[in-house]
Amino acid sequence: MPNPFDAAGSDNEQPTTDTTFAVPLAHAAPSAPDSVSSEGTSTAAAGALVNSATTCNSIIETTNVVRLFGDFVAVSGATLSVKEGSVTALIGPNGSGKTTLMLMLVGLLAPHSGSIKVCGFDPVTQNHEVRSQVGWMPDQFGMWDTLTCYEALVMTGATYRMSPEESAQRADELLNLVHLMEFRGKQAHVLSRGQKQRLGLARALMHRPRLLILDEPANGLDPRSRIELRGIIRELAEQGTTILISSHVLAELDEMVDSAIFISGGRTVAQETVDEARQARSNWQVRATDRAALVSWLDSIHIAFAQNTDGSVLVNIAGEENAARFLKDAITTGVPVVEFRPQGGALESTYLALNEERR
Ligand SMILES: Nc1ncnc2c1ncn2[C@@H]1O[C@H](COP(=O)(O)OP(=O)(O)OP(=O)(O)O)[C@@H](O)[C@H]1O
Protein backbone atom coordinates (compact mmCIF):
# COMPACT_ATOMS: atom_id res chain seq x y z
CA MET A 1 0.00 0.00 0.00
CA PRO A 2 1.41 3.44 -0.81
CA ASN A 3 3.11 5.38 1.92
CA PRO A 4 1.81 8.93 2.25
CA PHE A 5 5.01 9.85 4.07
CA ASP A 6 7.39 8.78 1.33
CA ALA A 7 9.63 6.58 3.36
CA ALA A 8 13.20 7.54 4.08
CA GLY A 9 16.06 5.35 3.07
CA SER A 10 18.75 3.67 5.08
CA ASP A 11 21.93 5.25 6.40
CA ASN A 12 23.46 5.06 2.96
CA GLU A 13 20.67 6.75 1.11
CA GLN A 14 19.56 10.33 0.89
CA PRO A 15 16.47 10.21 3.07
CA THR A 16 14.54 12.77 1.13
CA THR A 17 14.24 10.55 -1.91
CA ASP A 18 11.01 8.66 -2.11
CA THR A 19 12.00 5.09 -2.38
CA THR A 20 9.14 2.87 -1.51
CA PHE A 21 5.48 3.12 -0.96
CA ALA A 22 4.71 -0.21 0.61
CA VAL A 23 3.77 0.51 4.20
CA PRO A 24 1.45 -1.76 6.10
CA LEU A 25 -0.72 0.21 8.47
CA ALA A 26 -0.05 -2.10 11.39
CA HIS A 27 3.62 -1.73 12.16
CA ALA A 28 6.46 -3.75 13.57
CA ALA A 29 8.47 -2.61 16.60
CA PRO A 30 11.30 -0.15 16.01
CA SER A 31 14.99 -0.79 16.44
CA ALA A 32 16.39 2.70 17.01
CA PRO A 33 18.79 4.19 16.15
CA ASP A 34 18.51 2.64 12.70
CA SER A 35 16.52 4.41 10.04
CA VAL A 36 12.87 3.80 10.47
CA SER A 37 12.17 1.45 7.67
CA SER A 38 9.47 1.76 5.11
CA GLU A 39 7.93 -1.24 6.76
CA GLY A 40 6.97 1.08 9.58
CA THR A 41 7.66 1.30 13.24
CA SER A 42 4.73 1.49 15.54
CA THR A 43 3.12 -1.21 17.59
CA ALA A 44 -0.11 0.75 17.59
CA ALA A 45 -3.05 -1.19 16.37
CA ALA A 46 -4.12 -0.32 12.87
CA GLY A 47 -7.13 1.92 12.86
CA ALA A 48 -8.44 5.07 11.32
CA LEU A 49 -5.40 7.20 10.55
CA VAL A 50 -7.30 10.38 9.93
CA ASN A 51 -6.48 13.06 12.45
CA SER A 52 -8.44 12.71 15.65
CA ALA A 53 -6.36 14.68 18.07
CA THR A 54 -6.02 15.54 21.66
CA THR A 55 -4.73 19.05 22.33
CA CYS A 56 -1.38 20.28 23.59
CA ASN A 57 0.42 23.63 23.66
CA SER A 58 3.68 22.62 22.06
CA ILE A 59 2.95 20.40 19.15
CA ILE A 60 6.64 19.67 18.64
CA GLU A 61 9.20 19.42 21.44
CA THR A 62 12.69 18.14 20.89
CA THR A 63 15.63 18.02 23.30
CA ASN A 64 19.24 17.44 22.28
CA VAL A 65 18.39 15.33 19.27
CA VAL A 66 21.37 13.72 17.60
CA ARG A 67 21.46 11.79 14.33
CA LEU A 68 24.51 10.20 12.74
CA PHE A 69 25.03 8.63 9.35
CA GLY A 70 27.89 6.25 9.96
CA ASP A 71 30.52 8.46 11.63
CA PHE A 72 29.06 11.65 10.26
CA VAL A 73 27.00 13.74 12.67
CA ALA A 74 24.19 15.24 10.61
CA VAL A 75 22.21 16.58 13.58
CA SER A 76 24.31 17.25 16.64
CA GLY A 77 21.90 18.77 19.15
CA ALA A 78 18.50 19.97 18.09
CA THR A 79 16.41 21.49 20.84
CA LEU A 80 13.27 23.28 19.80
CA SER A 81 9.66 23.86 20.53
CA VAL A 82 6.84 24.61 18.10
CA LYS A 83 3.65 26.09 19.44
CA GLU A 84 0.34 24.67 18.34
CA GLY A 85 -1.32 26.90 15.73
CA SER A 86 1.91 28.64 14.72
CA VAL A 87 3.66 28.84 11.39
CA THR A 88 7.33 28.25 12.07
CA ALA A 89 10.29 28.32 9.73
CA LEU A 90 13.25 25.98 9.98
CA ILE A 91 16.17 27.90 8.56
CA GLY A 92 19.76 26.92 7.98
CA PRO A 93 22.49 26.68 5.37
CA ASN A 94 22.79 23.76 2.96
CA GLY A 95 23.67 20.57 4.81
CA SER A 96 22.83 22.00 8.24
CA GLY A 97 20.48 19.12 9.04
CA LYS A 98 17.02 20.52 8.30
CA THR A 99 15.77 17.58 6.25
CA THR A 100 17.32 15.06 8.62
CA LEU A 101 15.57 16.74 11.55
CA MET A 102 12.25 16.86 9.73
CA LEU A 103 12.53 13.19 8.82
CA MET A 104 12.98 12.41 12.50
CA LEU A 105 9.95 14.53 13.39
CA VAL A 106 7.73 12.61 11.03
CA GLY A 107 9.12 9.27 12.15
CA LEU A 108 10.99 8.35 9.00
CA LEU A 109 14.40 8.41 10.69
CA ALA A 110 15.14 7.50 14.27
CA PRO A 111 17.40 9.71 16.39
CA HIS A 112 20.48 8.22 17.98
CA SER A 113 19.87 10.17 21.15
CA GLY A 114 17.71 12.93 22.52
CA SER A 115 13.98 13.10 22.76
CA ILE A 116 11.29 14.01 20.26
CA LYS A 117 7.66 14.49 20.98
CA VAL A 118 5.20 15.33 18.27
CA CYS A 119 1.94 16.21 19.93
CA GLY A 120 2.95 14.23 22.91
CA PHE A 121 3.90 11.15 20.92
CA ASP A 122 7.28 9.64 20.19
CA PRO A 123 7.61 9.37 16.40
CA VAL A 124 9.53 6.10 16.69
CA THR A 125 7.58 4.17 19.27
CA GLN A 126 4.24 5.84 18.53
CA ASN A 127 4.70 6.19 14.82
CA HIS A 128 1.11 5.39 13.99
CA GLU A 129 -0.22 8.16 16.25
CA VAL A 130 2.22 10.69 14.83
CA ARG A 131 1.39 9.83 11.23
CA SER A 132 -2.29 10.23 11.86
CA GLN A 133 -1.72 13.86 12.82
CA VAL A 134 1.10 14.93 10.57
CA GLY A 135 1.13 15.80 6.88
CA TRP A 136 4.59 15.52 5.35
CA MET A 137 5.77 17.06 2.13
CA PRO A 138 9.35 16.04 1.27
CA ASP A 139 11.65 18.32 -0.70
CA GLN A 140 11.86 15.89 -3.55
CA PHE A 141 8.69 14.76 -5.08
CA GLY A 142 8.18 11.03 -5.32
CA MET A 143 4.84 10.01 -6.62
CA TRP A 144 3.47 6.91 -8.18
CA ASP A 145 4.15 8.18 -11.62
CA THR A 146 1.72 6.02 -13.51
CA LEU A 147 -1.23 7.01 -11.34
CA THR A 148 -3.29 10.01 -12.28
CA CYS A 149 -3.27 12.97 -9.93
CA TYR A 150 -6.72 12.02 -8.73
CA GLU A 151 -5.79 8.37 -8.21
CA ALA A 152 -2.64 9.34 -6.33
CA LEU A 153 -4.68 11.38 -3.87
CA VAL A 154 -7.42 8.78 -3.49
CA MET A 155 -4.73 6.17 -2.89
CA THR A 156 -3.24 8.38 -0.21
CA GLY A 157 -6.68 8.65 1.37
CA ALA A 158 -6.89 4.85 1.43
CA THR A 159 -3.61 4.62 3.34
CA TYR A 160 -5.19 6.83 5.96
CA ARG A 161 -8.23 4.59 6.09
CA MET A 162 -10.47 7.27 4.65
CA SER A 163 -13.63 5.93 3.06
CA PRO A 164 -13.66 5.87 -0.77
CA GLU A 165 -16.34 8.59 -0.78
CA GLU A 166 -14.45 10.81 1.60
CA SER A 167 -11.19 10.30 -0.32
CA ALA A 168 -12.87 11.11 -3.62
CA GLN A 169 -14.41 14.28 -2.27
CA ARG A 170 -11.22 15.40 -0.53
CA ALA A 171 -9.11 14.65 -3.63
CA ASP A 172 -11.23 16.97 -5.77
CA GLU A 173 -11.29 19.62 -3.08
CA LEU A 174 -7.49 19.58 -2.92
CA LEU A 175 -6.98 19.47 -6.68
CA ASN A 176 -8.99 22.67 -6.78
CA LEU A 177 -7.02 24.19 -3.93
CA VAL A 178 -3.66 23.59 -5.62
CA HIS A 179 -4.99 24.47 -9.08
CA LEU A 180 -4.45 21.06 -10.63
CA MET A 181 -8.02 20.23 -11.58
CA GLU A 182 -7.14 20.28 -15.28
CA PHE A 183 -4.55 17.55 -14.56
CA ARG A 184 -6.96 15.42 -12.55
CA GLY A 185 -6.93 12.58 -15.08
CA LYS A 186 -3.29 12.98 -16.16
CA GLN A 187 -0.56 10.66 -14.96
CA ALA A 188 1.70 12.28 -12.41
CA HIS A 189 4.82 11.86 -14.57
CA VAL A 190 3.58 14.44 -17.07
CA LEU A 191 3.50 17.15 -14.41
CA SER A 192 6.16 19.83 -14.32
CA ARG A 193 8.32 20.14 -11.21
CA GLY A 194 6.20 22.92 -9.77
CA GLN A 195 2.99 21.03 -10.49
CA LYS A 196 4.43 17.97 -8.77
CA GLN A 197 5.22 20.15 -5.75
CA ARG A 198 1.61 21.24 -5.67
CA LEU A 199 0.39 17.65 -5.93
CA GLY A 200 2.78 16.80 -3.11
CA LEU A 201 1.17 19.48 -0.99
CA ALA A 202 -2.29 18.15 -1.78
CA ARG A 203 -1.15 14.67 -0.84
CA ALA A 204 0.20 15.93 2.49
CA LEU A 205 -3.16 17.55 3.21
CA MET A 206 -5.36 14.57 2.35
CA HIS A 207 -6.07 13.47 5.94
CA ARG A 208 -6.53 17.03 7.22
CA PRO A 209 -3.41 16.89 9.33
CA ARG A 210 -3.14 18.88 12.49
CA LEU A 211 0.55 19.51 11.82
CA LEU A 212 2.00 20.07 8.38
CA ILE A 213 5.74 19.68 7.83
CA LEU A 214 6.94 21.08 4.54
CA ASP A 215 10.51 20.70 3.31
CA GLU A 216 11.25 23.47 0.83
CA PRO A 217 7.73 23.47 -0.64
CA ALA A 218 8.34 26.50 -2.87
CA ASN A 219 11.12 24.76 -4.77
CA GLY A 220 10.37 24.89 -8.47
CA LEU A 221 7.27 27.04 -8.10
CA ASP A 222 6.83 30.03 -10.37
CA PRO A 223 6.21 33.45 -8.76
CA ARG A 224 2.44 33.18 -8.99
CA SER A 225 2.43 29.68 -7.49
CA ARG A 226 4.68 30.93 -4.68
CA ILE A 227 2.21 33.65 -3.87
CA GLU A 228 -0.59 31.09 -3.94
CA LEU A 229 1.39 28.78 -1.69
CA ARG A 230 1.79 31.59 0.82
CA GLY A 231 -1.96 32.13 0.67
CA ILE A 232 -2.69 28.44 1.20
CA ILE A 233 -0.31 28.31 4.15
CA ARG A 234 -1.84 31.35 5.79
CA GLU A 235 -5.32 29.96 5.21
CA LEU A 236 -4.41 26.59 6.73
CA ALA A 237 -2.87 28.41 9.69
CA GLU A 238 -6.04 30.43 10.16
CA GLN A 239 -7.98 27.19 10.23
CA GLY A 240 -5.73 26.00 13.06
CA THR A 241 -3.17 23.85 11.28
CA THR A 242 0.31 24.12 12.73
CA ILE A 243 2.97 24.43 10.05
CA LEU A 244 6.70 23.85 10.12
CA ILE A 245 8.34 24.90 6.90
CA SER A 246 11.92 24.92 5.65
CA SER A 247 13.02 27.24 2.91
CA HIS A 248 16.04 29.17 1.73
CA VAL A 249 13.89 32.05 0.48
CA LEU A 250 13.98 34.11 3.66
CA ALA A 251 12.16 37.14 2.29
CA GLU A 252 9.16 34.91 1.59
CA LEU A 253 9.29 33.43 5.05
CA ASP A 254 9.11 36.92 6.59
CA GLU A 255 5.60 37.20 5.20
CA MET A 256 4.54 33.66 5.92
CA VAL A 257 5.73 32.63 9.36
CA ASP A 258 5.27 33.75 12.95
CA SER A 259 8.63 32.55 14.18
CA ALA A 260 11.80 30.83 13.06
CA ILE A 261 14.18 28.21 14.33
CA PHE A 262 17.74 28.59 13.09
CA ILE A 263 19.92 25.54 12.67
CA SER A 264 23.59 25.54 11.83
CA GLY A 265 26.00 22.64 11.67
CA GLY A 266 23.31 20.27 12.89
CA ARG A 267 22.61 22.34 16.01
CA THR A 268 19.69 24.64 16.73
CA VAL A 269 21.29 28.00 17.39
CA ALA A 270 18.38 30.40 17.82
CA GLN A 271 14.62 30.62 17.92
CA GLU A 272 12.83 33.92 17.60
CA THR A 273 9.58 35.41 16.44
CA VAL A 274 9.46 37.46 13.25
CA ASP A 275 8.48 40.47 15.40
CA GLU A 276 11.61 40.02 17.49
CA ALA A 277 13.69 39.67 14.34
CA ARG A 278 12.16 42.89 12.97
CA GLN A 279 12.95 44.70 16.21
CA ALA A 280 16.54 43.51 16.08
CA ARG A 281 17.24 44.94 12.63
CA SER A 282 19.65 47.83 12.73
CA ASN A 283 20.61 48.69 9.18
CA TRP A 284 18.30 51.21 7.53
CA GLN A 285 18.43 52.55 4.03
CA VAL A 286 17.51 56.23 3.58
CA ARG A 287 17.08 58.06 0.31
CA ALA A 288 16.24 61.73 -0.11
CA THR A 289 15.58 63.75 -3.24
CA ASP A 290 18.27 66.14 -1.97
CA ARG A 291 21.14 63.90 -1.01
CA ALA A 292 23.35 66.79 0.11
CA ALA A 293 20.69 67.91 2.59
CA LEU A 294 20.44 64.40 3.99
CA VAL A 295 24.19 64.03 4.37
CA SER A 296 24.54 67.43 5.97
CA TRP A 297 21.76 66.65 8.48
CA LEU A 298 23.34 63.29 9.36
CA ASP A 299 26.66 65.08 9.92
CA SER A 300 25.00 67.67 12.11
CA ILE A 301 23.47 65.02 14.40
CA HIS A 302 26.66 62.93 14.37
CA ILE A 303 25.17 59.83 12.85
CA ALA A 304 27.65 57.66 10.98
CA PHE A 305 26.50 56.50 7.56
CA ALA A 306 27.70 54.72 4.46
CA GLN A 307 26.87 55.96 0.99
CA ASN A 308 25.28 53.46 -1.37
CA THR A 309 25.86 53.57 -5.12
CA ASP A 310 22.15 54.11 -5.81
CA GLY A 311 22.22 57.47 -4.02
CA SER A 312 20.81 56.21 -0.74
CA VAL A 313 22.71 56.07 2.50
CA LEU A 314 22.91 53.33 5.09
CA VAL A 315 22.55 54.22 8.75
CA ASN A 316 22.77 52.04 11.80
CA ILE A 317 19.82 52.50 14.17
CA ALA A 318 18.98 50.02 16.90
CA GLY A 319 15.31 49.11 17.18
CA GLU A 320 12.18 50.11 15.34
CA GLU A 321 11.20 52.81 17.83
CA ASN A 322 14.49 54.63 17.31
CA ALA A 323 14.09 54.20 13.57
CA ALA A 324 10.63 55.78 13.72
CA ARG A 325 12.03 58.70 15.75
CA PHE A 326 14.87 59.13 13.25
CA LEU A 327 12.42 59.35 10.35
CA LYS A 328 10.18 61.81 12.17
CA ASP A 329 13.17 64.05 12.98
CA ALA A 330 14.42 63.93 9.40
CA ILE A 331 11.06 65.02 8.03
CA THR A 332 10.51 67.64 10.72
CA THR A 333 13.91 69.10 9.89
CA GLY A 334 12.93 69.35 6.25
CA VAL A 335 15.11 66.57 4.81
CA PRO A 336 13.18 65.41 1.71
CA VAL A 337 13.16 61.68 2.52
CA VAL A 338 11.48 59.59 -0.16
CA GLU A 339 12.56 56.15 0.97
CA PHE A 340 13.24 54.70 4.39
CA ARG A 341 13.40 50.97 4.89
CA PRO A 342 15.27 48.25 6.73
CA GLN A 343 18.04 46.70 4.72
CA GLY A 344 17.28 43.03 4.17
CA GLY A 345 14.41 40.99 5.54
CA ALA A 346 13.92 40.35 9.24
CA LEU A 347 14.87 36.68 9.16
CA GLU A 348 17.65 37.33 6.67
CA SER A 349 19.34 39.72 9.11
CA THR A 350 19.28 37.14 11.89
CA TYR A 351 20.42 34.40 9.51
CA LEU A 352 23.36 36.45 8.27
CA ALA A 353 24.30 37.54 11.77
CA LEU A 354 24.26 33.97 13.05
CA ASN A 355 26.25 32.62 10.16
CA GLU A 356 28.68 35.52 10.28
CA GLU A 357 29.41 34.55 13.89
CA ARG A 358 30.25 31.01 12.79
CA ARG A 359 32.71 32.04 10.08
N1 LIG B 1 21.47 9.21 4.34
C1 LIG B 1 22.56 9.94 4.53
N2 LIG B 1 23.78 9.36 4.56
C2 LIG B 1 24.89 10.10 4.80
N3 LIG B 1 24.88 11.43 5.01
C3 LIG B 1 23.68 12.05 4.98
C4 LIG B 1 22.48 11.33 4.74
N4 LIG B 1 21.47 12.22 4.77
C5 LIG B 1 22.00 13.42 5.00
N5 LIG B 1 23.33 13.31 5.13
C6 LIG B 1 24.25 14.41 5.42
O1 LIG B 1 23.77 15.08 6.57
C7 LIG B 1 23.95 16.48 6.44
C8 LIG B 1 22.63 17.17 6.62
O2 LIG B 1 21.82 16.88 5.49
P1 LIG B 1 20.36 17.48 5.34
O3 LIG B 1 19.79 16.94 4.07
O4 LIG B 1 19.61 17.21 6.58
O5 LIG B 1 20.68 19.02 5.23
P2 LIG B 1 19.72 20.23 4.84
O6 LIG B 1 19.90 21.27 5.88
O7 LIG B 1 18.34 19.74 4.61
O8 LIG B 1 20.37 20.73 3.50
P3 LIG B 1 19.73 21.49 2.22
O9 LIG B 1 19.41 22.88 2.68
O10 LIG B 1 20.85 21.48 1.23
O11 LIG B 1 18.53 20.73 1.77
C9 LIG B 1 24.57 16.72 5.06
O12 LIG B 1 25.97 16.87 5.20
C10 LIG B 1 24.25 15.44 4.31
O13 LIG B 1 25.24 15.13 3.35
Side-chain angles (χ1 to χ4, degrees):
M1 190 169 286
N3 171 13
F5 277 68
D6 291 336
S10 71
D11 278 3
N12 301 319
E13 295 169 331
Q14 283 300 321
T16 52
T17 308
D18 301 314
T19 52
T20 172
F21 305 105
V23 176
L25 288 169
H27 304 298
S31 54
D34 291 332
S35 297
V36 174
S37 79
S38 61
E39 271 63 59
T41 58
S42 172
T43 49
L49 270 175
V50 179
N51 178 9
S52 61
T54 53
T55 54
C56 57
N57 287 332
S58 272
I59 201 159
I60 303 174
E61 283 277 357
T62 78
T63 312
N64 285 329
V65 171
V66 173
R67 171 69 206 198
L68 289 80
F69 292 108
D71 290 339
F72 181 75
V73 188
V75 173
S76 59
T79 298
L80 60 92
S81 162
V82 172
K83 241 174 76 188
E84 173 124 54
S86 67
V87 183
T88 305
L90 183 61
I91 299 173
N94 288 133
S96 54
K98 299 180 297 296
T99 298
T100 306
L101 179 57
M102 285 181 154
L103 286 165
M104 290 190 280
L105 296 178
V106 299
L108 290 169
L109 276 180
H112 280 83
S113 60
S115 102
I116 303 182
K117 284 279 189 282
V118 175
C119 209
F121 298 113
D122 180 325
V124 174
T125 57
Q126 295 168 303
N127 190 265
H128 183 86
E129 288 82 347
V130 168
R131 288 183 183 214
S132 70
Q133 306 203 23
V134 179
W136 161 238
M137 179 180 172
D139 66 346
Q140 282 177 28
F141 183 84
M143 183 55 86
W144 320 293
D145 265 3
T146 52
L147 296 185
T148 66
C149 294
Y150 175 76
E151 287 166 345
L153 294 182
V154 167
M155 190 76 93
T156 300
T159 67
Y160 286 111
R161 301 277 164 94
M162 291 165 72
S163 71
E165 298 74 29
E166 193 187 358
S167 285
Q169 193 193 345
R170 182 73 175 149
D172 279 336
E173 193 180 305
L174 289 170
L175 285 170
N176 267 321
L177 181 79
V178 299
H179 301 291
L180 283 179
M181 206 33 136
E182 62 179 299
F183 293 94
R184 185 180 188 274
K186 295 254 167 40
Q187 290 182 332
H189 69 85
V190 308
L191 300 182
S192 72
R193 186 189 158 97
Q195 290 163 344
K196 283 182 178 172
Q197 287 288 99
R198 287 192 261 147
L199 184 57
L201 177 63
R203 186 177 51 170
L205 288 169
M206 259 316 268
H207 61 309
R208 296 188 168 81
R210 181 176 171 199
L211 167 66
L212 192 57
I213 300 186
L214 309 170
D215 195 1
E216 297 186 38
N219 251 358
L221 296 187
D222 61 36
R224 191 192 169 88
S225 303
R226 281 169 179 257
I227 293 166
E228 280 166 5
L229 176 71
R230 287 210 293 272
I232 291 171
I233 286 175
R234 289 301 343 170
E235 203 178 309
L236 289 166
E238 273 160 30
Q239 290 164 9
T241 309
T242 308
I243 297 163
L244 179 68
I245 178 170
S246 82
S247 170
H248 292 289
V249 189
L250 303 187
E252 278 185 356
L253 290 177
D254 275 355
E255 295 174 35
M256 217 189 305
V257 306
D258 309 307
S259 66
I261 294 159
F262 295 86
I263 183 167
S264 187
R267 187 171 286 278
T268 43
V269 289
Q271 183 160 1
E272 68 178 356
T273 65
V274 173
D275 283 345
E276 285 164 350
R278 283 202 179 103
Q279 276 293 334
R281 281 182 300 191
S282 57
N283 285 330
W284 295 81
Q285 206 165 315
V286 196
R287 201 159 63 80
T289 48
D290 183 347
R291 185 178 176 174
L294 172 62
V295 167
S296 144
W297 177 65
L298 289 172
D299 278 337
S300 73
I301 58 170
H302 307 295
I303 287 205
F305 59 89
Q307 307 228 23
N308 291 329
T309 47
D310 66 353
S312 64
V313 301
L314 196 63
V315 292
N316 192 277
I317 307 169
E320 289 191 323
E321 279 178 19
N322 287 333
R325 202 168 307 128
F326 170 93
L327 179 61
K328 183 168 165 269
D329 287 353
I331 290 166
T332 311
T333 313
V335 179
V337 175
V338 283
E339 200 177 304
F340 181 69
R341 62 186 166 91
Q343 196 185 44
L347 297 173
E348 185 182 277
S349 304
T350 308
Y351 176 87
L352 291 175
L354 287 170
N355 286 289
E356 205 52 47
E357 276 169 23
R358 289 184 58 86
R359 276 164 194 258

